[in-house]
Amino acid sequence: MRIKTLVAAMATVASLAPIAAQAQAAEENPWMIRVRAVDLLWQNGQSGSVVQSANVKAKDQAIPEFDVSYFFTKNIAAELVLTYPQSIQIDAGGNKLGTIKALPPSLVLQYHFTEFGAFKPYVGAGVNYTIFSSRNNLGNGAYSVDNSSFGAVGQVGMDYMFDKNWGLNLDVKYATMSTNVTATATGANGGKLTLNPWMPAVGVTYRF
């Protein structure tokens, strides 16, 4: 159901593209891409006996990100935030418990401010759907995490355009993301790890 919701949102954005293209035809190309380096700063909220007592945490790390934006007007755009499945180290009491993989696409609706010349700030809000794989690798297979997490994402950022096509991008996102930690053998719930990452990023912008 959760992945169907994200797919439906993407389909809605795609269905609006022909209408927006007519509005953009007399102006500039509506497509923009960005490549970013992102710092994943997990908040690691904990609840439940096992997760709290073992001090279960995800380890901060840097990841690559690729983003595609479509401008419906000069101010309104939708951005699809993509990467490939990332290996996330999970620690317990400061020691490595295991590694899981996470694929966290987001779809964000943005408002771009256009009255500042080459400096183009924006704000955005949308949905994040994280798919977890290699889920049974914690404690030599003793524990696993959920299949997925569905939550909200907020964004603030800016592009500084050097010319018509190329620019520098600075961006910060915050997503709500969590998973239950479950005993593999019995299915007993050991608690919840609330990841909720801050994601500051820097990257390159290309406007077609």
Side-chain angles (χ1 to χ4, degrees), residues 100-168:
I100 62 175
K101 288 188 176 182
L103 177 63
S106 296
L107 183 63
V108 183
L109 186 66
Q110 300 171 327
Y111 184 86
H112 291 252
F113 300 89
T114 58
E115 60 268 31
F116 303 108
F119 175 62
K120 301 183 183 299
Y122 58 85
V123 294
V127 292
N128 169 267
Y129 182 75
T130 301
I131 302 168
F132 296 108
S133 59
S134 300
R135 301 181 301 113
N136 301 321
N137 290 342
L138 304 183
N140 294 319
Y143 293 96
S144 63
V145 298
D146 292 339
N147 289 309
S148 61
S149 172
F150 186 79
V153 58
Q155 178 187 46
V156 60
M158 58 80 67
D159 293 297
Y160 186 86
M161 302 304 296
F162 301 117
D163 57 29
K164 177 183 176 181
N165 302 111
W166 292 97
L168 171 70

Coordinates of all heavy atoms in Angstrom, one line a residue, residues 100-168:
I100 N 22.6 -3.1 7.1 CA 21.4 -3.3 6.3 C 21.6 -2.4 5.1 O 22.5 -1.6 5.0 CB 20.1 -3.0 7.1 CG1 20.2 -1.5 7.5 CG2 20.0 -3.9 8.2 CD1 18.9 -1.0 8.2
K101 N 20.6 -2.5 4.1 CA 20.6 -1.6 2.9 C 19.3 -0.9 2.9 O 18.3 -1.4 3.3 CB 20.8 -2.4 1.6 CG 22.2 -3.0 1.5 CD 22.4 -3.6 0.1 CE 23.9 -4.0 -0.1 NZ 24.1 -4.6 -1.5
A102 N 19.4 0.4 2.4 CA 18.3 1.3 2.4 C 18.2 2.0 1.0 O 19.2 2.5 0.6 CB 18.3 2.3 3.5
L103 N 17.1 2.0 0.4 CA 16.8 2.7 -0.8 C 15.7 3.7 -0.5 O 14.6 3.4 -0.4 CB 16.4 1.7 -2.0 CG 16.0 2.4 -3.3 CD1 17.3 3.1 -3.9 CD2 15.4 1.4 -4.3
P104 N 16.1 5.0 -0.5 CA 15.1 6.0 0.1 C 14.7 7.1 -0.9 O 15.0 8.3 -0.7 CB 16.0 6.7 1.2 CG 17.4 6.7 0.6 CD 17.5 5.5 -0.4
P105 N 14.0 6.7 -2.0 CA 13.5 7.8 -2.9 C 12.5 8.7 -2.3 O 11.7 8.3 -1.4 CB 12.8 7.0 -4.1 CG 12.4 5.7 -3.4 CD 13.5 5.4 -2.4
S106 N 12.5 10.0 -2.7 CA 11.6 11.0 -2.2 C 11.0 11.7 -3.4 O 11.6 11.9 -4.4 CB 12.2 12.0 -1.2 OG 12.7 11.4 -0.1
L107 N 9.7 12.2 -3.2 CA 9.1 13.0 -4.2 C 8.7 14.3 -3.5 O 7.9 14.3 -2.5 CB 7.9 12.3 -4.8 CG 7.1 13.1 -5.9 CD1 8.1 13.3 -7.1 CD2 5.9 12.4 -6.3
V108 N 9.2 15.5 -4.0 CA 9.0 16.7 -3.3 C 8.4 17.8 -4.2 O 8.8 17.9 -5.4 CB 10.4 17.3 -2.8 CG1 10.2 18.5 -2.0 CG2 11.1 16.2 -1.9
L109 N 7.4 18.5 -3.7 CA 6.9 19.6 -4.5 C 7.5 20.9 -3.9 O 7.6 21.1 -2.7 CB 5.3 19.7 -4.3 CG 4.6 20.8 -5.1 CD1 4.7 20.5 -6.6 CD2 3.1 20.9 -4.7
Q110 N 8.1 21.7 -4.8 CA 8.9 22.9 -4.4 C 8.3 24.2 -4.9 O 7.6 24.3 -5.9 CB 10.3 22.7 -5.0 CG 11.0 21.5 -4.6 CD 12.3 21.3 -5.4 OE1 12.4 21.7 -6.6 NE2 13.3 20.8 -4.8
Y111 N 8.7 25.2 -4.1 CA 8.4 26.6 -4.6 C 9.8 27.3 -4.7 O 10.6 27.4 -3.8 CB 7.5 27.4 -3.6 CG 7.2 28.8 -4.1 CD1 6.1 29.0 -5.0 CD2 8.0 29.9 -3.8 CE1 5.8 30.2 -5.5 CE2 7.7 31.1 -4.3 CZ 6.6 31.3 -5.2 OH 6.3 32.5 -5.7
H112 N 10.1 27.8 -5.9 CA 11.3 28.5 -6.2 C 11.1 30.0 -6.3 O 10.2 30.5 -6.9 CB 11.9 28.0 -7.5 CG 12.3 26.6 -7.5 ND1 13.7 26.2 -7.5 CD2 11.7 25.4 -7.5 CE1 13.8 24.9 -7.5 NE2 12.6 24.4 -7.5
F113 N 11.9 30.7 -5.5 CA 11.9 32.2 -5.5 C 12.8 32.7 -6.7 O 14.0 32.3 -6.8 CB 12.4 32.7 -4.2 CG 11.5 32.3 -3.0 CD1 11.9 31.1 -2.4 CD2 10.4 33.0 -2.6 CE1 11.1 30.6 -1.3 CE2 9.7 32.6 -1.6 CZ 10.0 31.4 -0.9
T114 N 12.3 33.5 -7.5 CA 13.0 33.9 -8.8 C 13.4 35.3 -8.9 O 13.8 35.8 -9.9 CB 12.1 33.5 -10.0 OG1 10.8 34.2 -9.9 CG2 11.8 32.0 -10.0
E115 N 13.2 36.1 -7.8 CA 13.4 37.6 -7.9 C 14.8 38.0 -7.4 O 15.0 39.2 -7.2 CB 12.3 38.3 -7.1 CG 12.3 38.0 -5.6 CD 11.3 36.9 -5.3 OE1 11.1 36.0 -6.1 OE2 10.8 36.9 -4.2
F116 N 15.7 37.0 -7.3 CA 17.0 37.4 -6.7 C 18.1 37.1 -7.8 O 19.3 36.9 -7.4 CB 17.3 36.6 -5.5 CG 16.3 36.8 -4.4 CD1 15.4 35.8 -4.1 CD2 16.2 38.0 -3.7 CE1 14.4 35.9 -3.1 CE2 15.2 38.1 -2.7 CZ 14.3 37.1 -2.4
G117 N 17.8 37.2 -9.0 CA 18.8 37.0 -10.1 C 19.4 35.6 -10.1 O 18.7 34.6 -10.1
A118 N 20.7 35.5 -10.1 CA 21.4 34.2 -10.1 C 21.2 33.4 -8.9 O 21.3 32.1 -8.9 CB 22.9 34.4 -10.4
F119 N 20.8 34.0 -7.8 CA 20.6 33.3 -6.5 C 19.1 32.9 -6.5 O 18.2 33.7 -6.5 CB 20.9 34.3 -5.3 CG 20.5 33.7 -4.0 CD1 21.2 32.6 -3.5 CD2 19.6 34.3 -3.2 CE1 20.9 32.0 -2.3 CE2 19.3 33.8 -2.0 CZ 19.9 32.7 -1.5
K120 N 18.9 31.6 -6.4 CA 17.5 31.1 -6.6 C 17.2 30.1 -5.4 O 17.4 28.9 -5.5 CB 17.3 30.3 -7.9 CG 17.6 31.2 -9.1 CD 17.4 30.5 -10.4 CE 17.7 31.5 -11.6 NZ 16.9 32.7 -11.6
P121 N 16.7 30.6 -4.3 CA 16.3 29.8 -3.1 C 15.0 29.1 -3.4 O 14.2 29.5 -4.2 CB 16.2 30.8 -2.0 CG 15.9 32.1 -2.6 CD 16.6 32.1 -4.0
Y122 N 14.8 28.0 -2.6 CA 13.5 27.2 -2.8 C 13.2 26.5 -1.5 O 14.1 26.3 -0.6 CB 13.6 26.2 -3.9 CG 14.8 25.2 -3.8 CD1 14.6 24.1 -3.0 CD2 16.0 25.4 -4.4 CE1 15.7 23.2 -2.9 CE2 17.0 24.6 -4.3 CZ 16.9 23.4 -3.5 OH 17.9 22.5 -3.4
V123 N 12.0 26.2 -1.3 CA 11.5 25.3 -0.2 C 10.7 24.2 -0.8 O 10.1 24.4 -1.9 CB 10.7 26.1 0.8 CG1 11.6 27.2 1.5 CG2 9.5 26.8 0.2
G124 N 10.6 23.1 -0.1 CA 9.8 22.0 -0.6 C 9.3 21.1 0.5 O 9.8 21.1 1.6
A125 N 8.3 20.3 0.2 CA 7.7 19.3 1.1 C 7.2 18.1 0.3 O 6.7 18.3 -0.9 CB 6.6 19.9 2.0
G126 N 7.2 16.9 0.8 CA 6.7 15.8 0.1 C 6.8 14.5 0.9 O 6.6 14.5 2.1
V127 N 7.0 13.4 0.2 CA 6.9 12.1 0.8 C 8.2 11.3 0.6 O 8.9 11.5 -0.5 CB 5.7 11.2 0.3 CG1 4.4 11.9 0.8 CG2 5.7 11.1 -1.2
N128 N 8.6 10.5 1.5 CA 9.7 9.6 1.4 C 9.3 8.2 1.6 O 8.5 7.9 2.5 CB 10.8 10.0 2.5 CG 11.9 8.9 2.6 OD1 11.8 8.0 3.4 ND2 12.9 9.0 1.8
Y129 N 9.8 7.3 0.8 CA 9.5 5.8 0.9 C 10.8 5.1 0.9 O 11.5 5.0 -0.1 CB 8.6 5.3 -0.2 CG 8.2 3.9 -0.1 CD1 7.3 3.5 0.9 CD2 8.8 2.9 -0.9 CE1 7.0 2.2 1.0 CE2 8.5 1.6 -0.7 CZ 7.6 1.2 0.2 OH 7.2 -0.1 0.4
T130 N 11.2 4.6 2.0 CA 12.5 3.8 2.2 C 12.2 2.3 2.2 O 11.4 1.8 2.9 CB 13.2 4.3 3.5 OG1 13.4 5.7 3.4 CG2 14.5 3.5 3.6
I131 N 12.9 1.7 1.3 CA 12.9 0.2 1.2 C 14.1 -0.4 1.8 O 15.3 0.0 1.4 CB 12.8 -0.3 -0.3 CG1 11.6 0.4 -1.0 CG2 12.7 -1.8 -0.4 CD1 11.5 0.2 -2.5
F132 N 14.0 -1.2 2.8 CA 15.1 -1.8 3.5 C 15.3 -3.2 2.9 O 14.4 -4.0 2.8 CB 14.8 -2.0 5.0 CG 14.7 -0.6 5.7 CD1 13.5 -0.2 6.2 CD2 15.9 0.2 5.9 CE1 13.4 1.1 6.8 CE2 15.8 1.4 6.5 CZ 14.5 1.9 7.0
S133 N 16.6 -3.6 2.7 CA 16.9 -4.9 2.2 C 18.1 -5.4 3.0 O 18.7 -4.7 3.9 CB 17.2 -4.9 0.7 OG 18.3 -4.1 0.4
S134 N 18.5 -6.7 2.8 CA 19.6 -7.3 3.7 C 19.2 -7.1 5.1 O 20.0 -6.7 5.9 CB 20.9 -6.7 3.4 OG 21.3 -6.9 2.0
R135 N 17.9 -7.4 5.4 CA 17.3 -6.9 6.7 C 17.7 -7.8 7.9 O 17.5 -7.5 9.0 CB 15.8 -6.9 6.6 CG 15.3 -6.0 5.5 CD 13.8 -6.0 5.4 NE 13.2 -7.3 5.2 CZ 12.5 -8.0 6.0 NH1 12.2 -7.6 7.2 NH2 12.0 -9.2 5.7
N136 N 18.2 -9.0 7.6 CA 18.4 -10.0 8.6 C 19.9 -10.1 9.0 O 20.4 -11.2 9.5 CB 17.9 -11.4 8.2 CG 16.5 -11.4 7.9 OD1 15.7 -10.7 8.5 ND2 16.1 -12.1 6.8
N137 N 20.6 -9.1 8.9 CA 22.1 -9.1 9.1 C 22.5 -8.6 10.5 O 23.7 -8.4 10.7 CB 22.8 -8.2 8.0 CG 22.8 -8.9 6.7 OD1 22.5 -10.1 6.5 ND2 23.0 -8.1 5.6
L138 N 21.6 -8.3 11.4 CA 21.9 -7.8 12.7 C 22.2 -8.9 13.7 O 21.4 -9.8 13.9 CB 20.8 -6.8 13.1 CG 20.4 -5.7 12.2 CD1 19.4 -4.8 12.8 CD2 21.7 -4.9 11.8
G139 N 23.3 -8.7 14.4 CA 23.6 -9.7 15.5 C 23.8 -11.1 14.9 O 23.2 -12.1 15.4
N140 N 24.5 -11.2 13.7 CA 24.6 -12.5 13.1 C 23.3 -13.2 12.8 O 23.2 -14.4 12.9 CB 25.5 -13.5 13.9 CG 26.9 -13.0 14.1 OD1 27.5 -12.5 13.1 ND2 27.5 -13.1 15.3
G141 N 22.3 -12.4 12.4 CA 21.0 -12.9 12.0 C 20.0 -13.0 13.1 O 18.9 -13.5 12.9
A142 N 20.4 -12.6 14.3 CA 19.5 -12.7 15.5 C 18.3 -11.7 15.4 O 17.2 -11.9 15.9 CB 20.2 -12.5 16.8
Y143 N 18.6 -10.5 14.7 CA 17.6 -9.5 14.6 C 17.4 -9.0 13.2 O 18.4 -9.1 12.3 CB 18.0 -8.3 15.5 CG 17.9 -8.6 17.0 CD1 19.1 -9.0 17.6 CD2 16.8 -8.6 17.7 CE1 19.1 -9.3 19.0 CE2 16.7 -8.9 19.0 CZ 17.9 -9.3 19.7 OH 17.9 -9.6 21.0
S144 N 16.3 -8.5 12.9 CA 16.0 -8.0 11.5 C 15.2 -6.6 11.7 O 14.7 -6.3 12.8 CB 15.2 -8.9 10.7 OG 13.9 -9.2 11.3
V145 N 15.0 -5.9 10.6 CA 14.3 -4.7 10.5 C 13.1 -4.8 9.6 O 13.0 -5.8 8.9 CB 15.2 -3.5 10.1 CG1 16.3 -3.3 11.2 CG2 15.7 -3.7 8.7
D146 N 12.2 -3.8 9.6 CA 11.0 -3.8 8.7 C 11.4 -3.8 7.2 O 12.5 -3.5 6.8 CB 10.2 -2.6 9.0 CG 9.5 -2.7 10.4 OD1 9.4 -3.8 11.0 OD2 9.1 -1.6 10.9
N147 N 10.4 -4.1 6.4 CA 10.6 -4.1 4.9 C 10.8 -2.6 4.4 O 11.5 -2.4 3.5 CB 9.4 -4.7 4.2 CG 9.4 -6.2 4.4 OD1 10.4 -6.9 4.1 ND2 8.2 -6.7 4.8
S148 N 10.0 -1.7 5.1 CA 10.0 -0.3 4.5 C 9.6 0.7 5.6 O 9.1 0.3 6.7 CB 9.0 -0.3 3.3 OG 7.7 -0.6 3.8
S149 N 9.7 1.9 5.2 CA 9.3 3.1 6.0 C 8.7 4.1 5.1 O 9.3 4.5 4.1 CB 10.5 3.6 6.8 OG 10.1 4.8 7.5
F150 N 7.5 4.7 5.5 CA 6.9 5.7 4.7 C 6.7 7.0 5.6 O 6.3 6.9 6.8 CB 5.5 5.2 4.3 CG 4.8 6.2 3.4 CD1 5.1 6.3 2.0 CD2 3.8 7.0 3.9 CE1 4.5 7.2 1.2 CE2 3.1 7.9 3.0 CZ 3.5 8.0 1.7
G151 N 7.2 8.1 5.1 CA 7.1 9.3 6.0 C 7.1 10.6 5.1 O 7.1 10.6 3.9
A152 N 7.2 11.7 5.8 CA 7.2 13.0 5.2 C 8.7 13.5 5.1 O 9.6 13.0 5.7 CB 6.5 14.0 6.1
V153 N 8.9 14.4 4.1 CA 10.2 15.0 3.9 C 10.0 16.5 3.7 O 9.1 17.0 3.0 CB 11.0 14.4 2.8 CG1 10.2 14.5 1.5 CG2 12.4 15.0 2.6
G154 N 10.9 17.3 4.3 CA 10.9 18.8 4.1 C 12.2 19.2 3.6 O 13.2 18.5 3.8
Q155 N 12.3 20.3 2.9 CA 13.5 20.7 2.2 C 13.6 22.2 2.1 O 12.6 22.9 1.9 CB 13.4 20.1 0.8 CG 14.6 20.5 -0.2 CD 14.3 20.0 -1.6 OE1 13.2 20.2 -2.1 NE2 15.2 19.3 -2.2
V156 N 14.8 22.7 2.2 CA 15.2 24.1 1.9 C 16.5 24.1 1.2 O 17.4 23.3 1.6 CB 15.2 24.9 3.2 CG1 16.2 24.4 4.2 CG2 15.4 26.4 2.9
G157 N 16.7 25.0 0.2 CA 17.9 25.0 -0.5 C 18.0 26.2 -1.4 O 17.2 27.1 -1.4
M158 N 19.1 26.2 -2.2 CA 19.3 27.3 -3.1 C 20.2 26.8 -4.3 O 21.0 25.9 -4.1 CB 20.0 28.5 -2.4 CG 21.3 28.2 -1.8 SD 22.8 28.1 -2.9 CE 22.9 29.8 -3.4
D159 N 20.0 27.4 -5.5 CA 20.9 27.2 -6.6 C 21.5 28.6 -6.9 O 20.8 29.6 -6.8 CB 20.1 26.8 -7.8 CG 19.6 25.4 -7.7 OD1 20.4 24.4 -7.6 OD2 18.3 25.2 -7.7
Y160 N 22.8 28.6 -7.1 CA 23.4 29.8 -7.6 C 23.9 29.5 -9.1 O 24.8 28.7 -9.3 CB 24.6 30.2 -6.8 CG 25.2 31.6 -7.2 CD1 24.6 32.7 -6.7 CD2 26.2 31.6 -8.2 CE1 25.1 34.0 -7.1 CE2 26.7 32.9 -8.6 CZ 26.1 34.0 -8.1 OH 26.5 35.2 -8.5
M161 N 23.2 30.1 -10.0 CA 23.4 29.8 -11.4 C 24.6 30.7 -12.0 O 24.5 31.9 -12.0 CB 22.1 30.1 -12.2 CG 20.9 29.3 -11.8 SD 21.2 27.5 -11.7 CE 21.5 27.1 -13.5
F162 N 25.6 30.0 -12.5 CA 26.7 30.7 -13.1 C 26.4 31.2 -14.5 O 26.9 32.2 -14.9 CB 28.0 29.7 -13.1 CG 28.4 29.2 -11.8 CD1 28.3 27.9 -11.5 CD2 28.8 30.1 -10.8 CE1 28.7 27.4 -10.2 CE2 29.2 29.7 -9.6 CZ 29.2 28.3 -9.3
D163 N 25.6 30.4 -15.2 CA 25.1 30.8 -16.5 C 23.7 30.2 -16.7 O 23.1 29.8 -15.7 CB 26.0 30.5 -17.6 CG 26.3 29.0 -17.6 OD1 25.5 28.1 -17.2 OD2 27.4 28.6 -18.1
K164 N 23.2 30.2 -17.9 CA 21.9 29.7 -18.2 C 21.7 28.2 -17.7 O 20.6 27.8 -17.3 CB 21.6 29.8 -19.7 CG 20.2 29.3 -20.1 CD 20.0 29.4 -21.6 CE 18.7 28.8 -22.1 NZ 18.6 28.9 -23.5
N165 N 22.8 27.4 -17.8 CA 22.6 26.0 -17.6 C 23.3 25.5 -16.3 O 22.7 24.6 -15.7 CB 23.3 25.2 -18.8 CG 22.7 25.6 -20.1 OD1 23.4 26.2 -20.9 ND2 21.5 25.2 -20.4
W166 N 24.4 26.0 -15.9 CA 25.2 25.4 -14.8 C 25.0 26.2 -13.5 O 25.0 27.5 -13.6 CB 26.6 25.3 -15.2 CG 26.9 24.3 -16.3 CD1 27.0 24.5 -17.6 CD2 27.0 22.9 -16.1 NE1 27.2 23.4 -18.3 CE2 27.2 22.3 -17.4 CE3 26.9 22.0 -15.0 CZ2 27.4 21.0 -17.6 CZ3 27.1 20.7 -15.2 CH2 27.3 20.2 -16.5
G167 N 25.0 25.5 -12.4 CA 24.9 26.2 -11.1 C 25.4 25.4 -10.0 O 25.7 24.2 -10.1
L168 N 25.6 26.0 -8.8 CA 26.0 25.3 -7.6 C 24.7 25.2 -6.7 O 23.9 26.1 -6.6 CB 27.0 26.2 -6.8 CG 27.3 25.7 -5.4 CD1 28.1 24.5 -5.4 CD2 28.1 26.9 -4.7

